[in-house]
Amino acid sequence: MKSKERGFSTAFALTVIFSLCVITLSFAMIVNANEKKISSYKKAFDAHKKANCILFDIEEKLQELKEYPSDIDECQILSLISMECDYEITVKDVSTGINENFVSPEILEDESVRRYMTLNEEVALTEYGWINPRFADKTVLDEILLDFENKNTFPLINNTPPLNIHFMTDEFIKAVLEYFKIKNGEQKLEQIREKLNGETSSKELAEILGISESHAVFDLIGFKTLFWKISFETDKCGCSAVFAAVPQKDNQKKIDRYILVEKDIARKGGSL
């Protein structure tokens, strides 16, 4: 009997030891997995924090654009913000286009505008921009006023020209000139391209077009970009953000400040 009891005890001990080994191994694997998760979360947090710091610095630097009479190209912006970011940056005007959600049917159904949109579908449309009541769909305006309970809708609705002529294609400029029935569009486009620079004023542009400075075309065409999309990649993540120019309330042809309105930060290998 003693031999059988000893054999049973040995088998039981081995079973217990094996079970403990399995439990210990499982616990070690859980701990290791948790440590990896914690490490991954920390890296994600650090990457997110770094990207946000860069965006904050870019937003601060963009305030200098308020003093620029014109936004002439992406290089202008790159030189302004490059010192705030050690990584490769891309800049794009994303508001100089036709926003089908806001623009009035009168503009969308205009023959010249419709032709431009059809032939330049990839570049003609935009999803960004404030709402200019002089060219907006009345139904949209009524719905917004209802949503805001007829309270202050600024800056969502303002009179700032939504299009920056420096970023308009030749076809777009010609379509706008045709819409406003400004004659000799082809000839005047050549003059615009010849004389347009960072110091060009609405008065000088009016002289080129043969119209008064109070002409309605200057409610649509200006020299400032209202929404900029800025993207960059760090060693840990990619970031894309949109900054909006908020006009001065009392003088809506001038910019009061630039604000961050949209951002997307994704860690390489997974979202944050």
Side-chain angles (χ1 to χ4, degrees), residues 36-51:
K36 286 183 177 180
K37 282 185 179 180
I38 292 172
S39 176
S40 178
Y41 290 148
K42 185 179 184 304
K43 288 178 180 178
F45 176 80
D46 290 342
H48 195 279
K49 182 179 178 181
K50 186 174 185 178

Side-chain angles (χ1 to χ4, degrees), residues 191-213:
Q191 294 177 23
I192 290 172
R193 289 306 182 208
E194 180 185 340
K195 299 180 180 180
L196 187 66
N197 59 62
E199 301 299 324
T200 302
S201 65
S202 57
K203 181 179 180 180
E204 292 169 323
L205 187 56
E207 291 174 355
I208 294 172
L209 297 176
I211 57 178
S212 71
E213 198 177 346

Side-chain angles (χ1 to χ4, degrees), residues 259-272:
I259 59 173
L260 176 66
V261 294
E262 179 181 300
K263 67 178 178 181
D264 180 25
I265 303 173
R267 186 165 65 90
K268 292 178 180 177
S271 60
L272 295 178

Side-chain angles (χ1 to χ4, degrees), residues 103-104 106-107 110-113 132 134-136 161-163 168 172-185 188 209-212 214-222:
V103 174
S104 70
E106 180 187 358
I107 292 178
D110 178 79
E111 183 181 349
S112 57
V113 174
N132 189 314
R134 298 175 186 181
F135 304 103
L163 306 179
M168 294 174 70
F172 197 6
I173 293 175
K174 285 191 288 186
V176 171
L177 295 183
E178 284 185 44
Y179 172 76
F180 284 102
K181 296 179 172 53
I182 297 175
K183 298 179 180 180
N184 303 319
K188 287 172 180 177
L209 297 176
I211 57 178
S212 71
S214 60
H215 194 284
V217 71
F218 294 113
D219 294 323
L220 187 64
I221 293 179

Side-chain angles (χ1 to χ4, degrees), residues 17 23 26 31 50 74 82 95 98 179 190 196 213 217:
I17 292 171
I23 293 171
S26 299
V31 170
K50 186 174 185 178
E74 294 89 347
S82 58
S95 54
I98 299 170
Y179 172 76
E190 290 180 10
L196 187 66
E213 198 177 346
V217 71

